[in-house]
Amino acid sequence: MSGTDLTPAVGVRFMVQVDELDLGLFTSCEGLGVEVVIEQRNEGGNNAYMMQIPSRLKFPNIKLTRPLTKETERVAKWISGLAAGVQRRTGQITAMTTDGTVVARWGLIDVIPVRWTGPTFTKGPADVLTETIEIAHHGFIDTGA
């Protein structure tokens, strides 16, 4: 993507990697963001306003969803490895168009999985089976791109 390409991303997929493990492509990515936590303080004798002091950064969990595919086994492998102990890892989420053009990248530090939700098997109309992985992280890092 060139520095002047301002075409909006349509039909985006999200490629997710955690260290050397490629978790595959996801169709939905929610929660990429950061919040500055503000502490409010009263200043003695000054009733006109409250001081607003930035204190720390807060990163919401990221939820990634996709239809069930063979790539689900990669997520299951990562999750099953937690039995040996949780290790914080470096992750990367890459937004790509359907033709593979990279739109944006986000590097994540201290990534750990916090929840996996698989498909619900029911009788009735044939719906697309989906899975969702929720990950926590401690912030963003430069992806070197």
Side-chain angles (χ1 to χ4, degrees), residues 6 28 51 53 82 87 110 121 131 138:
L6 299 177
S28 171
M51 294 178 55
I53 303 167
L82 296 176
Q87 294 181 359
D110 292 339
F121 300 103
E131 71 171 325
H138 281 147

Side-chain angles (χ1 to χ4, degrees), residues 11 13 15 25 94-103 105:
R13 300 291 184 256
M15 182 174 62
L25 293 171
T94 305
M96 301 183 312
T97 60
T98 53
D99 68 0
T101 302
V102 173
V103 177
R105 281 192 178 95

Side-chain angles (χ1 to χ4, degrees), residues 8 12 21 76 91 110:
V12 175
L21 183 60
D110 292 339

Side-chain angles (χ1 to χ4, degrees), residues 24-41:
L25 293 171
F26 290 80
T27 54
S28 171
C29 178
E30 299 175 44
L32 275 172
V34 62
E35 177 185 345
V36 178
V37 177
I38 301 293
E39 292 183 14
Q40 294 184 340
R41 300 276 193 244

